[in-house]
Amino acid sequence: MARKLPGLRRELDARSLFSVAYGEIASSIYFALGIVALHAVGFTPFVLLGVGVLFLLVALSYAEATSALPETGGAATFVRRAFNDLAGFMTGWALFLDYLIVIALSALFVPHYLAGALQVPALDRNPWDVVVGVGVIVVIGAIRLVRRPSLYTLGVIVPVLDVIAQLVLIGFGFALLVSPGSVMHGTSLGSAPTVHSLVFAIPLAMLAFTGLETVANLAEEARRPGVDLPRSLFAAILTVVTAYVAIAIVGLSAFPGPVTQLGTTWLRSPLVGIADAIRGHTNTTLGDVIRFFVGASGALILLASVTTAISGFCRLAYSLGEHGQLPRAFGRLNRRTLVSPQAIVSVTVVSSAIVIVSGFLRHDVAFLASVFSFGVLLAFTATQIAVIKLRIAEPELPRPYRTPLNVTIRGAEVPLPAIVGAVLTFAVWIAAIATHPGARYAGPIWLLVGLVVFVVVRRAHGEGLTERVIAPDTVRFDDVPRFRRILVPMKLGVIGEEMAATAVKLAAEHRATVEAMFVVLVPLELPLGAPMPEAEGRAAASLEEARALGAELGVEVETVTVRARAIGRAIVDRARESHADLIVLGSSPRWRRQSRFFSPTVDFVLRQAPCEVLIVAFPQRVLDEELALG
């Protein structure tokens, strides 16, 4: 009770945001390159470049929306503001699916990268990859339940590892593997790949650009969301796209078509495959070091990806919960971890189940990637339409960052990139449904489940389906103490009244009982039961003051007089006997001016109390009033 409740703080500057954005987005190549190369073959660099440009268009809309609405929730928040709570929830529900897929794929690929680093073949096969993947999710979820990992530390470590690993692969790859015509070797549009496979690969390539939602969810923690977030995001995306294209060129040069081993032998650890190819062109020691480093850093980066995706899921759940779109428990945070325990348990259980089910699927990576594309493309399209709608409906909304290249439609300035991006993402979404069984069936089923959840929650709250529920102004915590019995040691005068008033007001808020106690300090030369009429008179008057204060606020105040040799020991013993939940004590400024800070009595109670202790620090003027009354 005496400690300040934590909240989300604006402490991310441009450099930190760039690190987080780069780490979030660039980590996707570790599980996306293989499946894209399997279907696009020699066209993989061009597919990644094209999807990267589309991703940049979408990022323009995200940058404007997050600068205008710098709060947790990402696309769900934008769509809710532009349309209604139902549309916002369905967007958020689709994003839940994407977070779950990223967690599942990252965890599932961890053992394969470890197998490449440690040369342990068992980790490369089912069922051990599934067992390790589930273990990774469960352990990270359990840790997240009890402590808050430093996202900002991860945001520095992950990009550094990522950059070094990618530079090693690109540097050695271009020096040893790339040659004219090597990328397109064995590639022939119509056969390798077929038109269907190439179209199939475009939505799959969206898997290579995850993390935009996680970055958008950091708007509430950015120092200058309207300036730092767009700048950092665009710089990270341009860097990532450049690195992706270069790595894809190296990978296709190492494993050319018509059936590239990146999508077969090395499907679950494509960057280890490239490192292994480099190893074949260098001396054994250097090659082993490169392979170990890429495998080990890949495993660490994927672990970080699981951690940040879980945090992103929980941030989104919090946003939906506080707006009445999920059960209220999801909108209440734990004071220490700053997440909802219900959200942690949910994401851990569901993502673990996805990993387990994937062990029984023949083309599990393609299936999961196609389901991801369904959700992310739907969210991207909705976000860009929301930005257009907000430009028309709320032209005066402050927008620290505005998407460039605007056209005037019916008097409103509408961003052309959002129009083009919405059309393109929707077209790719249609392609995903047409070519991907996972997107065609699993995606709509997931949305239907979400609609049922939303209807049940809204009916339980007595709220309309499209009604806009306003989040509370203050952060709600699920583990804020609820006091039933408050113990307050009393004394006559202003200080005694202030202590009693504090206890009574708290009791009124918590519907608790106050026990006011007066300690009659008996000198050592007297027996405990010796008559002390003057002290007993002070006790009676002081306790009567406490009862009067309680009566004013309708709080039950019990009173007790205790004789003791030491006040601190008497307070601790009484708190234990009465099963108090809170002790209210006063702190005098004369002690705070000394090195001890607290009086010996207060210090003893703080050390020995069986419950929480609230210290009321009285200023000097209160003591002056006390002396004046005396």
Side-chain angles (χ1 to χ4, degrees):
M1 183 66 191
R3 56 186 179 271
K4 182 180 179 181
L5 296 179
L8 298 178
R9 300 183 299 274
R10 293 196 178 278
E11 56 188 24
L12 288 177
D13 57 14
R15 183 178 300 177
S16 299
L17 285 168
F18 172 81
S19 297
V20 173
Y22 185 87
E24 281 296 305
I25 300 170
S27 63
S28 309
I29 195 69
Y30 288 85
F31 50 75
L33 179 59
I35 189 63
V36 175
L38 175 64
H39 294 280
V41 197
F43 290 100
T44 298
F46 304 103
V47 169
L48 290 175
L49 178 60
V51 172
V53 172
L54 177 58
F55 190 70
L56 184 59
L57 282 178
V58 175
L60 291 172
S61 294
Y62 265 86
E64 176 173 320
T66 52
S67 70
L69 304 170
E71 58 183 89
T72 301
T77 296
F78 315 150
V79 176
R80 180 177 62 244
R81 177 68 173 263
F83 298 100
N84 54 55
D85 278 17
L86 175 59
F89 171 80
M90 296 307 292
T91 303
W93 189 258
L95 290 170
F96 274 151
L97 183 61
D98 292 338
Y99 279 122
L100 292 168
I101 297 299
V102 169
I103 293 167
L105 282 174
S106 297
L108 193 59
F109 277 49
V110 166
H112 294 276
Y113 276 89
L114 284 176
L118 305 177
Q119 295 298 291
V120 181
L123 293 175
D124 231 352
R125 297 191 297 266
N126 193 311
W128 290 110
D129 58 346
V130 172
V131 171
V132 173
V134 172
V136 164
I137 296 173
V138 171
V139 169
I140 292 176
I143 293 173
R144 196 67 181 86
L145 268 176
V146 298
R147 70 184 301 271
R148 183 188 184 196
S150 175
L151 177 63
Y152 318 117
T153 301
L154 289 176
V156 173
I157 295 175
V158 169
V160 169
L161 288 175
D162 228 342
V163 167
I164 294 174
Q166 291 173 5
L167 287 178
V168 167
L169 293 178
I170 293 170
F172 280 97
F174 271 86
L176 302 174
L177 303 175
V178 177
S179 60
S182 59
V183 176
M184 301 298 293
H185 179 76
T187 300
S188 176
L189 183 60
S191 57
T194 63
V195 174
H196 180 275
S197 291
L198 187 59
V199 174
F200 189 88
I202 294 172
L204 289 182
M206 297 303 302
L207 185 64
F209 296 93
T210 66
L212 185 55
E213 270 296 318
T214 301
V215 176
N217 274 326
L218 295 176
E220 204 166 354
E221 298 175 71
R223 291 179 183 172
R224 299 182 301 167
V227 177
D228 294 339
L229 196 59
R231 183 185 303 167
S232 306
L233 187 58
F234 300 149
I237 292 173
L238 291 173
T239 306
V240 167
V241 171
T242 302
Y244 278 11
V245 172
I247 290 175
I249 291 173
V250 172
L252 269 298
S253 299
F255 305 106
V259 179
T260 174
Q261 291 184 48
L262 277 180
T264 55
T265 306
W266 301 104
L267 175 64
R268 298 173 188 272
S269 54
L271 269 62
V272 172
I274 297 175
D276 194 71
I278 292 173
R279 177 178 177 272
H281 290 76
T282 61
N283 67 71
T284 304
T285 302
L286 178 60
D288 288 341
V289 170
I290 293 174
R291 185 174 60 186
F292 174 81
F293 175 74
V294 171
S297 62
L300 289 174
I301 290 165
L302 291 171
L303 285 173
S305 176
V306 173
T307 303
T308 53
I310 287 177
S311 294
F313 181 101
C314 293
R315 279 185 167 87
L316 177 57
Y318 168 71
S319 177
L320 298 182
E322 68 171 355
H323 286 90
Q325 298 167 300
L326 284 178
R328 301 293 189 195
F330 287 89
R332 291 193 292 270
L333 304 180
N334 179 279
R335 287 182 298 170
R336 179 164 50 184
T337 61
L338 293 186
V339 293
S340 163
Q342 290 80 2
I344 289 289
V345 172
S346 299
V347 68
T348 300
V349 170
V350 178
S351 57
S352 297
I354 291 174
V355 172
I356 293 171
V357 171
S358 70
F360 297 94
L361 299 177
R362 183 179 178 185
H363 302 293
D364 54 344
V365 178
F367 179 85
L368 294 177
S370 66
V371 175
F372 174 88
S373 67
F374 175 90
V376 76
L377 288 165
L378 192 64
F380 283 175
T381 303
T383 295
Q384 293 169 108
I385 294 175
V387 168
I388 296 170
K389 173 69 183 303
L390 287 173
R391 282 286 191 98
I392 297 171
E394 300 185 47
E396 302 304 320
L397 180 68
R399 295 173 172 84
Y401 174 83
R402 293 174 66 90
T403 303
L405 303 177
N406 297 279
V407 295
T408 302
I409 301 178
R410 295 183 179 181
E413 287 191 347
V414 178
L416 185 60
I419 298 174
V420 174
V423 171
L424 291 177
T425 51
F426 184 73
V428 179
W429 186 71
I430 295 297
I433 293 177
T435 58
H436 297 200
R440 189 161 54 246
Y441 300 114
I445 291 173
W446 176 259
L447 291 184
L448 181 61
V449 171
L451 181 61
V452 171
V453 170
F454 183 76
V455 171
V456 170
V457 169
R458 281 300 171 101
R459 292 292 166 83
H461 295 165
E463 298 159 344
L465 296 183
T466 58
E467 177 184 348
R468 179 167 293 176
V469 175
I470 305 300
D473 292 333
T474 57
V475 178
R476 293 177 295 179
F477 296 89
D478 69 335
D479 58 342
V480 173
R482 303 300 300 178
F483 304 119
R484 294 170 299 173
R485 192 172 187 83
I486 301 174
L487 178 66
V488 54
M490 295 295 299
K491 63 180 295 184
L492 277 174
V494 177
I495 290 181
E497 290 178 2
E498 290 290 337
M499 290 169 60
T502 300
V504 168
K505 289 177 182 177
L506 277 172
E509 294 176 4
H510 291 255
R511 298 180 181 179
T513 299
V514 172
E515 181 177 49
M517 69 176 294
F518 193 100
V519 181
V520 176
L521 190 61
V522 181
L524 292 175
E525 63 270 17
L526 296 179
L528 276 177
M532 299 183 65
E534 186 177 345
E536 290 169 356
R538 289 198 302 270
S542 179
L543 296 176
E544 183 57 35
E545 287 181 359
R547 278 192 291 265
L549 286 169
E552 291 179 8
L553 293 178
V555 173
E556 179 185 358
V557 177
E558 300 175 359
T559 60
V560 62
T561 302
V562 177
R563 288 171 167 262
R565 305 290 188 187
I567 296 177
R569 170 56 66 185
I571 294 171
V572 170
D573 290 344
R574 186 61 196 172
R576 188 173 288 110
E577 292 169 9
S578 63
H579 303 289
D581 301 300
L582 176 70
I583 301 172
V584 177
L585 291 175
S587 172
S588 168
R590 76 183 180 90
W591 291 104
R592 295 198 297 276
R593 286 193 296 267
Q594 301 177 22
S595 59
R596 297 191 63 161
F597 196 81
F598 292 129
S599 69
T601 296
V602 172
D603 187 67
F604 180 87
V605 174
L606 284 172
R607 295 176 184 274
Q608 302 295 326
C611 58
E612 295 208 39
V613 180
L614 172 63
I615 307 298
V616 181
F618 296 104
Q620 183 63 46
R621 63 176 179 79
V622 175
L623 288 186
D624 293 340
E625 292 177 18
E626 179 85 359
L627 292 173
L629 289 174

